[in-house]
Amino acid sequence: DTDLCPREDGSLGRVRTHGAFRTRSGHFGRGARTELDARVQLSQDGRHVTLERPEGLILLAGRDREGPWRSVSGGDERLTLDDDGGYTLSGGARSWSFHPDGTLRAVEPGFVVERANRTRLRLRAPDGEAVVLDLDEDGRVVTARRGDATIRYRYGQDGRLAEVSGDVTRRLVHDAR
């Protein structure tokens, strides 16, 4: 399945992973995950961070005193606390930035998430192009708009994505490839 997602070259692509056994709902319904659903959560003692990735992997990291949290799996990734209380994950091909509440702020290169309110997200690419996502009361995307192109999403009673309609043959995203 495909949805809006940043690519390593900074362009916006469309990718969504789905896990039939996932019970949490992401931006594209129950079981679906995209990079928009990435988040960090600090343990109560502040020594460990859970990093939930869009592909469903969870990385636990340990922290030594005031230094960065480092991957316990031996990877190069490290998570640092920003001056504003947010977090930055670095060490891979891209840098991920999170708000103090753990929600995604930006992926560099990639996009910046601008949260207008609880029902609207704006994904701004480095070239200034933007895709606007309208959300329902459960935080799921119901429309994706760029210019005059619109894609609509409908969810079933089980919370899973049931239908995609609208300008599905038009590209809402810039493809730099």
Side-chain angles (χ1 to χ4, degrees), residues 3 7 12 18 22-23 49 63 65 67 72 84-85 88 117 119 129 140 153 155-156 164 170-171 176-177:
D3 286 303
R7 291 189 175 134
L12 289 174
H18 181 80
R22 291 187 190 135
T23 56
V49 171
R63 183 178 189 192
R65 298 188 187 152
V72 296
D84 69 353
T88 299
N117 54 46
T119 60
E129 291 284 336
R140 300 174 300 200
Y153 300 87
Y155 302 89
V164 179
R170 295 182 62 186
R171 295 192 62 85
R177 296 176 205 242

Side-chain angles (χ1 to χ4, degrees), residues 2-4 14 16 27-28 133-134 136 140-145 150-155 161-166 168 172:
T2 60
D3 286 303
L4 304 171
R14 297 181 294 173
R16 175 183 60 216
H27 281 89
F28 290 92
L133 303 177
D134 293 313
D136 65 12
R140 300 174 300 200
V141 175
V142 290
T143 59
R145 294 179 284 114
T150 301
I151 296 178
R152 288 175 290 287
Y153 300 87
R154 187 181 62 76
Y155 302 89
L161 184 62
E163 181 181 357
V164 179
S165 63
V168 293
L172 289 186

Side-chain angles (χ1 to χ4, degrees), residues 15-64:
V15 176
R16 175 183 60 216
T17 62
H18 181 80
F21 298 108
R22 291 187 190 135
T23 56
R24 274 192 40 201
S25 184
H27 281 89
F28 290 92
R30 189 170 141 222
R33 289 282 177 260
T34 67
E35 289 186 336
L36 288 175
D37 298 308
R39 65 179 298 113
V40 294
Q41 184 174 356
L42 194 62
S43 65
Q44 287 186 352
D45 66 7
R47 292 190 35 81
H48 296 87
V49 171
T50 302
L51 171 64
E52 188 170 345
R53 295 183 172 197
E55 62 271 20
L57 299 176
I58 296 176
L59 172 70
L60 296 175
R63 183 178 189 192
D64 294 325

